[in-house]
Amino acid sequence: MALIVYVDESGQPHQLDEGPYVIASVAIDEDRLPQVISAIENFVAGIRRSYGIDVDEIHTKNLVKGNREWYGVSIDTRRKIFEDFAQLVSNLDIVLNIVVVKRGLGVRIASPEGIRSHAMKLLIERIFMTPSRYPIAILVFDSSTIGQDANIRSEVEKAVRESLAHRSYRVYVSFKDSIEEPAIQIADFVAYIVRSIKMHQYSWRGFNFEKAFLLFENRIRRCPGQDTYEGCGLKEWIIDR
């Protein structure tokens, strides 16, 4: 058995002038994973059954913007599904760790790859500080291209080597499709909402991002012995030089 950690991102390190880069992870003890998977699969099946929408997963940006499988679906329906999904996430037995990268005023970004690498290190350190009964952590990423997957694997291996946190787990990396691994959809949702909040976009056309954040806020990992997650489960890195 292992701690299964699903990871996704919103924004890009080379586009920090357009908004922050966010990596979100969702940690679930493997013995509790079936309940989480079942909850998401039932939610998606309920959309098909109740609304007749041919959808296989919740991809938050598409849901909000009405793209792809959501094209032609009324905004009222999409808002209702968005709100219901936020409530679902808040009720799941999960632990969130989130890293937000911002560019300081007037700072030029010379190495986007270096930004992603350091952000991954910050995330890995927080995963090491996430408690579990198991000695193994399996990081599951939404698979992209062969080259991108290889780059992410290298970044994780480098982050594990350079971590300042105690290595609580033996870390393994896996790449899956987000339909195969529904919990990736939670990481996608969390990353999208946090990026919106950090851009001070608290709502858009009735999609209440602030309410969604406040719903899953209780799942963000707290600092040991404290009732705050700032710097712990939610780490903000502002590049100022």
Side-chain angles (χ1 to χ4, degrees):
M1 302 294 276
L3 178 69
I4 314 297
V5 184
Y6 297 91
V7 185
D8 209 352
E9 62 184 7
S10 184
Q12 293 295 330
H14 64 277
Q15 296 176 326
L16 289 179
D17 56 333
E18 298 177 12
Y21 170 58
V22 178
I23 310 180
S25 72
V26 181
I28 310 165
D29 278 336
E30 193 171 1
D31 61 327
R32 298 173 182 172
L33 185 57
Q35 293 93 329
V36 173
I37 291 175
S38 177
I40 301 168
E41 289 179 341
N42 289 341
F43 184 85
V44 174
I47 294 171
R48 293 195 297 267
R49 184 173 58 252
S50 300
Y51 300 101
I53 303 169
D54 186 17
V55 60
D56 294 318
E57 63 177 326
I58 302 297
H59 189 281
T60 308
K61 183 176 181 180
N62 290 344
L63 172 62
V64 171
K65 301 298 184 182
N67 297 332
R68 296 187 183 179
E69 63 270 32
W70 300 100
Y71 181 77
V73 178
S74 75
I75 194 166
D76 288 341
T77 296
R78 299 196 329 264
R79 278 197 298 254
K80 176 68 164 60
I81 292 169
F82 174 88
E83 291 165 4
D84 289 349
F85 193 67
Q87 187 64 64
L88 172 70
V89 171
S90 76
N91 292 333
L92 295 175
D93 191 3
I94 58 178
V95 178
L96 303 176
N97 284 293
I98 306 157
V99 174
V100 179
V101 183
K102 287 183 172 182
R103 178 177 66 90
L105 189 62
V107 173
R108 296 183 61 187
I109 303 301
S111 173
E113 297 79 11
I115 291 171
R116 187 190 297 272
S117 179
H118 186 66
M120 187 66 71
K121 173 177 170 288
L122 294 173
L123 183 69
I124 291 295
E125 289 173 345
R126 275 142 189 86
I127 291 169
F128 279 147
M129 290 185 280
T130 300
S132 174
R133 301 188 300 277
Y134 305 118
I136 294 172
I138 301 174
L139 273 60
V140 183
F141 292 83
D142 194 6
S143 184
S144 180
T145 65
I146 293 175
Q148 182 64 22
D149 290 356
N151 288 340
I152 289 174
R153 187 182 297 277
S154 296
E155 287 170 356
V156 171
E157 291 171 351
K158 181 173 183 286
V160 169
R161 290 194 305 270
E162 297 180 356
S163 169
L164 300 179
H166 173 69
R167 297 184 189 181
S168 310
Y169 306 103
R170 298 195 304 278
V171 175
Y172 299 89
V173 180
S174 176
F175 297 91
K176 299 287 186 179
D177 186 271
S178 53
I179 297 176
E180 282 181 69
E181 293 285 356
I184 293 175
Q185 299 166 40
I186 303 173
D188 169 78
F189 182 80
V190 170
Y192 184 90
I193 297 303
V194 170
R195 184 171 189 264
S196 298
I197 293 294
K198 291 299 180 179
M199 293 171 68
H200 306 292
Q201 185 176 40
Y202 302 108
S203 65
W204 182 81
R205 298 189 65 187
F207 287 88
N208 194 328
F209 302 142
E210 183 176 31
K211 181 179 178 182
F213 177 81
L214 291 174
L215 279 171
F216 66 68
E217 185 183 32
N218 63 327
R219 297 302 174 187
I220 303 174
R221 185 179 60 83
R222 265 49 184 176
C223 300
Q226 302 179 49
D227 191 28
T228 180
Y229 49 74
E230 296 290 346
C232 296
L234 178 57
K235 171 66 176 178
E236 188 166 317
W237 171 34
I238 300 176
I239 303 171
D240 55 8
R241 58 186 175 85

